[in-house]
Amino acid sequence: MAATELESVHSADVVTKVDTAEVPSAAWGWSGESRRTFRTAGWVVVVILLAMLFEGPQGASSGSGHTGYIFLIGFAVLLAAILIRDSLLQRKPR
């Protein structure tokens, strides 16, 4: 009887959209994702990648040209495209 009372009290406190049979951690409220947090973190990473383009002056032995800059810009553009696509898909009604 004590287990039944605990389960009924606990299930009344936690309201989730996830079935606790499929995701046991949903009973504790850990199953949700914060899309806003992930998007914000993604844009912060894009800004950091682009800020790396403005590093201090290189020494005379830099040698490899602009390969590093190409990769920084490429990764920043790829991440920005993923974030924009996610934002646009989230707006469409399903």
Side-chain angles (χ1 to χ4, degrees), residues 1-2 4 9 19-20 24 26 30 33 46 56 60 64 71 78-79 81-82:
M1 185 161 121
T4 309
V9 170
D19 184 18
T20 56
W30 296 347
E33 291 181 348
V46 168
S64 68
F71 277 100
L78 177 67
L79 184 57
I82 290 170

Side-chain angles (χ1 to χ4, degrees), residues 1-62:
M1 185 161 121
T4 309
E5 290 175 4
L6 289 176
E7 288 176 7
S8 65
V9 170
H10 187 67
S11 64
D13 292 337
V14 179
V15 178
T16 62
K17 297 178 183 177
V18 179
D19 184 18
T20 56
E22 293 179 13
V23 183
S25 63
W28 299 296
W30 296 347
S31 64
E33 291 181 348
S34 175
R35 294 180 78 89
R36 186 179 197 189
T37 303
F38 290 134
R39 282 190 195 137
T40 303
W43 284 113
V44 167
V45 170
V46 168
V47 169
I48 289 171
L49 287 172
L50 293 176
M52 286 187 210
L53 294 172
F54 303 105
E55 61 188 60
Q58 296 283 330
S61 63
S62 63

